């Protein structure tokens, strides 16, 4: 019998976190960037490659990327996972690692990812096979799928382009506080509305960046993490839900699997939306933020546009969202999910510099894969929340 609270609450902790090569990282392959981020995360934790017995990764251009990273780093792992569900992959990796560590099968897991898509190709690089059902209609994917969701949300709930724009402006305002962010120039509503439309109603500034970048986290038991270099960040709860692959098969364009993944994460953690000090979520497009805030319980369904319109998720707002600038203004190297974990760790540790939150004990991180297809929610907390 399945249980939403079956996740091993606080049995594991993130002991190290790092990023590398955000923006433009010329001269580095995706494999090199992934390995560099992994080494930096291990250094952050005060551990070495010999400590790693679980490796979780997926390279953008290599279907056997897990083996490639293990070979490149010289890691002899008890378990290698190359599972790929899009941007939710790395939060899924964290779930798997926590179950395996708590079961005693492994001690230390390294979760890492990197992509050089901007310097190598200058555009989004996707290994996704085209749909025989959707391709004949000529929609530009993946943005076409998100545009359908945005259009439906506008039709059903009166959401406006200005409300979508409020998401983009909030992300940029956070990015201006983050020296690592790729886009830090000011952005106002007039500029947002004037941007070219890519797939109506979404314009260029509704879309995530195309950047290079790598990230990694190190996961071990909470007991072991206490003795390492940095303050551990407990993995309090997690949950996932997959509803479809292609947007044509999505049961409801305005309701994502985040509704269930969030419920499962809250049940495992013993906390709810009102307890969260921050939300780090996958904002591949501005509509994502609105949908996920609704489905994760931060506002009622249909109220997401009105919730964000007056700066509630921007610096100084009631609910800090994507405090690094998110995929819209900080970094998006093909898949962004792992960066949600890194930013939450930095905030909880008090390492976020100018953007540091005064209250930063509980964070909800959320990954999105495919076209609103695979949703994974993770709740991280300081040791005081355990």
């Amino acid at each position: 019998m399945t249980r939403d609270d079956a996740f091993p609450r606080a049995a594991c902790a993130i002991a190290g976190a790092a990023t590398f090569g955000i923006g433009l990282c010329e001269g580095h392959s995706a494999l090199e960037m992934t390995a560099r981020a992994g080494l930096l995360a291990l250094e952050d934790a005060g551990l070495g490659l010999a400590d790693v017995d679980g490796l979780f990764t997926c390279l953008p251009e290599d279907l056997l990327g897990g083996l490639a990273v293990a070979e490149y780093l010289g890691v002899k792992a008890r378990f290698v996972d190359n599972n790929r569900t899009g941007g939710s992959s790395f939060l899924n990796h964290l779930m798997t690692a926590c179950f395996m560590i708590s079961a005693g099968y492994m001690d230390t897991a390294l979760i890492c990812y990197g992509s050089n898509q901007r310097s190598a190709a200058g555009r989004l690089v996707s290994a996704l096979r085209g749909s025989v059902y959707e391709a004949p209609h000529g929609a530009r994917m993946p943005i076409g799928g998100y545009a359908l969701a945005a259009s439906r949300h506008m039709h059903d709930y009166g959401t406006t382009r200005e409300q979508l724009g409020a998401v983009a402006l909030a992300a940029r305002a956070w990015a201006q506080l983050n020296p690592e962010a790729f886009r830090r120039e000011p952005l106002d509503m007039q500029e947002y509305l004037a941007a070219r439309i890519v797939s109506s109603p979404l314009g260029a500034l509704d879309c995530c960046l195309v950047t290079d970048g790598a990230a990694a986290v190190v996961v071990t038991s909470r007991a072991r993490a206490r003795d390492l270099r940095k303050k551990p960040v407990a993995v309090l709860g997690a949950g996932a839900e997959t509803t479809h692959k292609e947007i044509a098969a999505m049961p409801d364009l305005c309701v994502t699997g985040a509704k269930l993944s969030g419920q499962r994460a809250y049940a495992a953690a013993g906390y709810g939306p009102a307890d969260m000090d921050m939300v780090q979520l996958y904002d591949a497009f501005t509509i994502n933020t609105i949908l996920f805030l609704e489905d994760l319980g931060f506002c009622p369904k249909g109220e997401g546009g009105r919730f964000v319109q007056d700066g509630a998720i921007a610096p100084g707002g009631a609910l800090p969202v994507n405090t690094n600038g998110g995929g819209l203004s900080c970094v998006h190297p093909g898949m962004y999910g792992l960066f949600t974990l890194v930013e939450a760790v930095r905030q909880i540790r008090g390492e976020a510099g100018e953007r540091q939150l005064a209250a930063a004990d509980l964070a909800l991180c959320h990954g999105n894969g495919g076209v609103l297809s695979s949703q994974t929610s993770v709740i991280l907390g300081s040791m005081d929340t355990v």
Side-chain angles (χ1 to χ4, degrees):
M1 183 175 180
T2 58
R3 299 195 337 266
D4 285 350
D5 62 351
F7 185 83
R9 182 188 189 276
C12 296
I14 295 176
T19 57
F20 175 76
I22 284 180
L24 190 64
C25 191
E26 293 178 311
H28 290 76
S29 69
L31 175 59
E32 290 168 338
M33 294 177 68
T34 300
R36 186 71 68 88
L39 291 170
L40 289 171
L42 286 166
E43 181 182 358
D44 186 57
L47 294 172
L49 288 170
D51 296 297
V52 177
D53 53 4
L55 179 64
F56 298 78
T57 188
C58 53
L59 294 178
E61 80 287 359
D62 189 346
L63 294 178
L64 297 180
L67 305 183
V69 174
E71 177 183 78
Y72 189 88
L73 289 174
V75 169
K76 304 296 191 293
R78 292 171 60 88
F79 186 80
V80 173
D81 193 342
N82 201 76
N83 174 43
R84 188 167 185 151
T85 56
S88 60
S89 298
F90 312 101
L91 286 82
N92 285 333
H93 292 165
L94 179 61
M95 287 185 68
T96 304
C98 287
F99 276 113
M100 298 185 81
I101 291 169
S102 66
Y105 184 77
M106 67 174 66
D107 290 321
T108 303
L110 175 63
I111 305 171
C112 51
Y113 168 76
S115 171
N116 63 343
Q117 65 171 17
R118 186 176 184 89
S119 59
R123 59 179 175 81
L124 175 67
V125 177
S126 175
L128 191 64
R129 184 174 65 182
S131 166
V132 297
Y133 304 107
E134 295 176 352
H137 298 282
R140 187 176 181 182
M141 292 296 178
I143 188 174
Y146 290 92
L148 283 172
S151 295
R152 188 71 203 186
H153 205 275
M154 288 177 161
H155 177 272
D156 287 353
Y157 302 114
T159 307
T160 66
R161 284 207 68 217
E162 287 80 2
Q163 289 168 345
L164 292 173
V167 174
L169 267 60
R172 186 63 59 84
W174 283 114
Q176 288 181 292
L177 302 176
N178 180 9
E180 198 175 32
F182 184 66
R183 296 293 300 273
R184 301 185 65 203
E185 63 273 21
L187 175 64
D188 60 29
M189 187 62 70
Q190 183 178 0
E191 182 182 355
Y192 164 82
L193 293 172
R196 65 182 176 87
I197 295 295
V198 180
S199 183
S200 182
L202 301 180
L205 293 174
D206 290 293
C207 304
C208 62
L209 303 171
V210 175
T211 69
D212 297 341
V217 296
V218 176
V219 188
T220 189
S221 69
R222 178 164 55 94
R224 186 179 185 218
R226 284 198 189 104
D227 298 327
L228 298 179
R229 178 174 293 165
K230 291 291 187 71
K231 187 163 54 175
V233 174
V235 186
L236 298 172
E241 176 73 5
T242 297
T243 50
H244 60 283
K245 177 176 181 280
E246 300 174 0
I247 197 70
M250 188 173 179
D252 185 331
L253 286 169
C254 292
V255 179
T256 74
K259 183 174 182 180
L260 291 176
S261 70
Q263 288 176 6
R264 291 166 185 156
Y266 294 137
Y271 289 103
D275 299 310
M276 297 300 114
D277 294 313
M278 72 194 88
V279 181
Q280 311 292 347
L281 53 77
Y282 202 116
D283 58 342
F285 300 92
T286 51
I287 187 61
N288 292 38
T289 300
I290 289 173
L291 289 174
F292 295 152
L293 288 174
E294 293 173 349
D295 292 339
L296 292 168
F298 294 97
C299 61
K301 177 55 63 180
E303 292 294 319
R306 286 175 283 279
F307 181 81
V308 304
Q309 69 183 5
D310 294 323
I313 65 173
L319 181 66
V321 174
N322 292 349
T323 53
N324 62 348
L328 291 169
S329 282
C330 179
V331 58
H332 197 289
M335 292 187 284
Y336 173 71
L338 189 48
F339 293 87
T340 67
L341 299 174
V342 173
E343 177 63 11
V345 168
R346 288 173 172 171
Q347 286 285 353
I348 291 170
R349 286 177 172 177
E351 299 174 346
E354 191 179 354
R355 68 188 186 280
Q356 179 64 50
L357 302 175
D361 282 309
L362 283 166
L364 188 146
C365 302
H366 184 78
N368 163 71
V371 190
L372 298 171
S373 313
S374 169
Q375 308 299 326
T376 309
S377 305
V378 171
I379 296 174
L380 302 180
S382 68
M383 288 299 101
D384 292 338
T385 66
V386 173

